[in-house]
Amino acid sequence: MRVGFIGLGIMGSAMAMNIHKKGFPLIVYNRTRSKAEPFAKLGVPVANSPREVAEKSDVVIDMVTDAPDVEEVLFGRDGVVYGAHPGLIVIDMSTNSPEYARYFAKRLAEYGIEFLDAPVTGGDVGARQGTLTIMVGGKREVFEKVRPVLEAMGKTIIYAGDVGNGQMLKLLNQIVVGIDMLAVAEAMALAKKAGIDMDKLFTVLSTGAANSFTVQYYMPKMMKGDYEPGFRAAHLKKDLRYALETANKLGVPLPGTALTLELYNALVTKGLGDKGTQALLKLYYELSGIKE
């Protein structure tokens, strides 16, 4: 099965590399060509356009920032649809919304292209280690056909049902991720102000009922003042916005998500959108008058 991969950012580059390591014939494309250099050095072909990726692939995976980027890759100038051929499958592994997933599926069907929405969770460490959780919406038979490719990138592969359900599961995940980060940042800010030893706080949180991925993976970074991204704050802001938009359409109040989104809005406004989600602590420290 020939695989094309579009989008070689923090997550995408690691995911594509794992596909290569599993022996799938691979071709890659990135708007900023320099990010494809590690693949070129390994002898992996680097395409000049998404169209070329589609022409030379059975499965095209995109891992880009937001729905407009997906739309550009698929339908823009030299987009995937212009390289369409019988049997082509597109897997959107970006995070956007169930509504967008259904929109992409409908438009791609006009070109005879099958579509799956398959966002992931697990952060940069999961992408590198090939242990991502992947949530997949679309036709069951299409999912089964590409399962080996998905298993090259993830440890837990969940078939969620119809198109859009993968994105819905991801948004639910992001609600918990965002609020959990909020909780850790609040606890750390109060601990700092109260003079509590952070190592002791970490021991309590990581061994008791408060334990989580955020505590285990991000809190040690926060303790060291390491705000470099495993997952960018601006991306979480985008995901929480989609979650609230979906909730509003369904009439479900999400006050915790709304508060978390506003804090990430503030973080992005302060120019910290390219930092990791753990940079929320900087905002709490500033609001509390705490110097790092």
Side-chain angles (χ1 to χ4, degrees):
M1 192 179 299
R2 301 174 302 162
V3 180
F5 205 104
I6 299 171
L8 302 173
I10 294 173
M11 298 289 288
S13 59
M15 293 160 67
M17 194 61 73
N18 284 329
I19 291 172
H20 171 66
K21 289 176 181 177
K22 289 293 183 179
F24 288 95
L26 180 66
I27 183 171
V28 298
Y29 171 78
N30 196 77
R31 187 170 52 187
T32 305
R33 195 176 178 89
S34 60
K35 291 186 178 181
E37 281 305 308
F39 292 89
K41 290 178 181 178
L42 294 172
V44 175
V46 178
N48 292 310
S49 67
R51 174 177 184 163
E52 184 183 349
V53 173
E55 289 171 344
K56 298 178 179 178
S57 303
D58 302 305
V59 178
V60 174
I61 296 169
D62 73 81
M63 185 64 172
V64 292
T65 302
D66 201 351
D69 305 292
V70 178
E71 187 164 21
E72 177 64 25
V73 161
L74 297 180
F75 309 106
R77 182 179 179 183
D78 282 332
V80 167
V81 294
Y82 300 108
H85 54 84
L88 183 62
I89 298 169
V90 166
I91 308 175
D92 175 25
M93 303 191 79
S94 315
T95 300
N96 39 80
S97 72
E99 188 173 7
Y100 270 116
R102 291 187 283 268
Y103 166 71
F104 295 142
K106 183 177 179 181
R107 286 193 64 183
L108 287 171
E110 296 172 3
Y111 295 85
I113 302 173
E114 296 287 358
F115 175 81
L116 299 173
D117 58 297
V120 305
T121 186
D124 60 326
V125 62
R128 291 193 303 271
Q129 296 175 357
T131 57
L132 293 168
T133 295
I134 305 175
M135 302 144 274
V136 189
K139 295 178 183 176
R140 182 88 198 208
E141 61 270 23
V142 178
F143 164 70
E144 294 296 346
K145 187 172 183 178
V146 303
R147 183 195 283 268
V149 179
L150 298 174
E151 288 175 343
M153 298 176 283
K155 184 177 180 181
T156 304
I157 316 295
I158 300 166
Y159 176 65
D162 294 340
V163 166
N165 284 2
Q167 293 292 354
M168 191 69 244
L169 277 177
K170 176 61 185 289
L171 295 183
L172 298 173
N173 179 82
Q174 297 304 78
I175 289 170
V176 177
V177 165
I179 294 176
D180 198 22
M181 185 63 77
L182 174 97
V184 172
E186 290 198 353
M188 290 183 69
L190 181 57
K192 188 87 167 178
K193 199 79 168 183
I196 297 297
D197 183 272
M198 284 294 178
D199 289 323
K200 290 182 172 60
L201 176 62
F202 177 73
T203 300
V204 170
L205 296 183
S206 64
T207 59
N211 194 22
S212 67
F213 178 84
T214 301
V215 170
Q216 290 284 349
Y217 183 67
Y218 283 111
M219 188 173 171
K221 290 177 177 286
M222 296 158 81
M223 290 164 64
K224 293 186 294 185
D226 178 3
Y227 301 115
E228 291 310 301
F231 186 70
R232 298 187 194 280
H235 294 177
L236 182 58
K237 171 195 166 183
K238 176 258 300 179
D239 296 349
L240 295 176
R241 175 173 56 82
Y242 280 130
L244 278 175
E245 288 174 357
T246 303
N248 286 338
K249 289 172 184 174
L250 296 174
V252 178
L254 300 179
T257 305
L259 172 60
T260 307
L261 174 60
E262 284 307 305
L263 288 168
Y264 275 100
N265 274 332
L267 197 64
V268 171
T269 300
K270 289 179 66 65
L272 296 171
D274 284 336
K275 295 297 184 181
T277 54
Q278 71 272 24
L280 186 64
L281 182 63
K282 289 179 72 67
L283 185 63
Y284 270 93
Y285 279 177
E286 182 178 320
L287 292 171
S288 305
I290 296 171
K291 292 185 177 181
E292 292 189 62

